[in-house]
Amino acid sequence: SDAFQVEINQRFPVFYSEKRPFFMEGMGLFDIAGTGGDGNMRTAVHTRRIINPSWGSKLTGTAGRVTFGLLNALDGSPQDIGERGEAISGRRKLFTLGRATYSLGQSDYIGAIVIDTEHAGRHNRVVGGDLSVRISPRQSFSTTFLASNTGVGSSSTKGTASQVSYGYNSRRFGWGNQVEHYGREFQMDTAFLNRAGFTSGWSFG
């Protein structure tokens, strides 16, 4: 069961972690650089968006330095995104997610992600890439870029999201920096995303 969380005066949705074994296994592969913690995009693939799966399949593997994963699921009770009401009554939603990373040594990698959701004539497609490297024992760098295409019928909107992070940590000193941008039209049905339409940055030490 989910841990109790106070929802009063919350500016953004409350995050509940996945508990279903099928979705939990191997899902670390679908994490992208710059997500995690309590940031604007906590995770790019939040499988609790798949509310009532009729069926699901998952394939993961490794070939040399490449690690890959493919997830498909059909949701029998999907969220009504866009408040379309009767137009989606009884219609199921298909999720297709693909992810691959190429190891650059140790924990460094470059990755790509492709996501497609189809629901009663509406689609949400997202493609992107990410890079995470440790420049030196004390320095780390990561960047992510995502592009979305969302539409109903013949009309569609496009948006982008990106982030760049740099960190420096030693025994006596720590310094972190991040700049992120979420376009007003950016949408990602699989993500746990607080909001879009802003650019911000922060630094701490």
Side-chain angles (χ1 to χ4, degrees):
S1 61
D2 295 317
F4 175 77
Q5 296 189 53
V6 177
E7 298 184 11
I8 300 173
N9 296 326
Q10 285 280 357
R11 293 180 59 196
F12 304 117
V14 174
F15 179 85
Y16 291 101
S17 60
E18 181 61 86
K19 299 293 182 67
R20 297 169 292 185
F22 171 79
F23 290 113
M24 292 174 64
E25 185 178 356
M27 288 306 295
L29 169 63
F30 289 86
D31 294 337
I32 63 174
T35 61
D38 294 321
N40 184 61
M41 182 183 288
R42 185 155 182 171
T43 175
V45 178
H46 183 43
T47 49
R48 289 191 66 149
R49 300 293 189 205
I50 307 171
I51 300 170
N52 180 27
S54 301
W55 58 263
S57 65
K58 182 165 52 179
L59 172 68
T60 60
T62 302
R65 292 192 174 191
V66 177
T67 302
F68 60 88
L70 177 66
L71 173 66
N72 290 96
L74 189 66
D75 190 355
S77 305
Q79 180 184 2
D80 183 3
I81 299 176
E83 299 182 353
R84 293 191 289 159
E86 291 298 321
I88 65 168
S89 179
R91 304 287 295 275
R92 295 180 291 181
K93 184 172 185 176
L94 178 63
F95 289 78
T96 304
L97 304 87
R99 171 71 165 154
T101 62
Y102 180 83
S103 174
L104 302 175
Q106 297 182 350
S107 60
D108 301 345
Y109 72 87
I110 184 169
I113 191 166
V114 178
I115 292 173
D116 175 55
T117 63
E118 305 284 341
H119 184 210
R122 177 187 178 276
H123 68 263
N124 174 242
R125 298 160 188 158
V126 180
V127 297
D130 60 322
L131 170 70
S132 178
V133 295
R134 183 163 291 280
I135 304 170
S136 72
R138 296 181 179 180
Q139 300 180 83
S140 60
F141 173 84
S142 71
T143 184
T144 302
F145 178 81
L146 299 166
S148 71
N149 181 303
T150 306
V152 178
S154 59
S155 63
S156 64
T157 59
K158 298 180 180 180
T160 60
S162 56
Q163 71 82 27
V164 178
S165 301
Y166 170 80
Y168 178 91
N169 286 282
S170 66
R171 291 185 178 180
R172 296 185 177 182
F173 178 74
W175 184 36
N177 306 268
Q178 178 170 292
V179 176
E180 58 183 347
H181 165 77
Y182 290 88
R184 190 175 300 277
E185 303 297 338
F186 179 78
Q187 296 184 55
M188 193 170 184
D189 287 4
T190 62
F192 188 88
L193 183 67
N194 288 331
R195 62 191 177 104
F198 75 96
T199 301
S200 69
W202 53 260
S203 179
F204 70 88

